[in-house]
Amino acid sequence: MVRLRSVVFCVVCLFAVKAYSLDQNSKPAMLPGYSAEQASAGKKLYKQHCLSCHPKGYFEQVFRAWRGQPLQDLLGVMRTDMPQSNPGGLSPAVYVNILAYILAENHYPAGPVPLDPATNAFRDIRIAPAPID
C-alpha cells in the first residue's frame, strides 16, 4: 500500500509538471527560518536516505507541481511515506533537516534559526518554485 501511494505520488507529480507553466516572476516565500547548518546536516541525511530514489534536482519539479500547496503537505508525505525502505521510520528532526536541505536546493533563503519540527508554521508556508534562470 505504501509503495503504491509513493508511485501514485510520483506519477501525479510528473503529470503535473508537464501541465505546469512556471511564472517567471515567482519567488520562494519567506520562511520562519532554517539555518545553513540545518541544511548542511540535511544534505548528508538526504544522501543517506533519499538520493537513491530522488536525484539532485528532483524537488524542483515537485515544487512546480505543488505550487501554492502548504509545505506541511509535502512534509506529511515525507513523514508517512519516506524513505521507501522504512516509511515513517525517521525522527521528526531528521525529516525537517532533510526538508531544510530541499528548501536550500530550491533557493529558499536560510536564516539564523533552524526550522523546528514541532512548529505549526509549515501549514502557513506555501510552496513556490524557484524562478527559472
Side-chain angles (χ1 to χ4, degrees):
M1 181 66 177
V2 172
R3 281 186 186 243
L4 178 60
R5 283 182 15 176
S6 296
V7 169
V8 170
F9 168 74
C10 290
V11 169
V12 168
C13 286
L14 289 175
F15 280 113
V17 167
K18 288 269 188 200
Y20 179 75
S21 173
L22 179 61
D23 175 1
Q24 294 277 342
N25 296 321
S26 66
K27 293 190 177 167
M30 293 304 292
L31 293 174
Y34 72 89
S35 68
E37 294 82 14
Q38 189 176 33
S40 179
K43 181 177 183 176
K44 292 174 187 163
L45 294 164
Y46 187 90
K47 286 180 180 179
Q48 181 181 354
H49 298 289
C50 311
L51 189 60
S52 64
C53 294
H54 305 297
K56 184 174 171 124
Y58 172 83
F59 283 94
E60 289 175 25
Q61 296 173 355
V62 171
F63 274 43
R64 287 183 189 123
W66 284 44
R67 182 178 186 191
Q69 299 301 312
L71 192 58
Q72 175 176 300
D73 292 356
L74 177 59
L75 184 58
V77 169
M78 291 170 62
R79 286 179 170 166
T80 58
D81 294 347
M82 304 297 159
Q84 196 172 35
S85 62
N86 185 21
L90 306 177
S91 73
V94 168
Y95 285 112
V96 171
N97 286 349
I98 291 170
L99 181 59
Y101 169 68
I102 292 168
L103 292 170
E105 286 294 300
N106 282 277
H107 311 288
Y108 282 76
V113 180
L115 282 172
D116 179 359
T119 187
N120 289 327
F122 296 107
R123 70 173 178 232
D124 298 325
I125 302 167
R126 298 293 171 178
I127 295 173
I132 296 175
D133 297 325

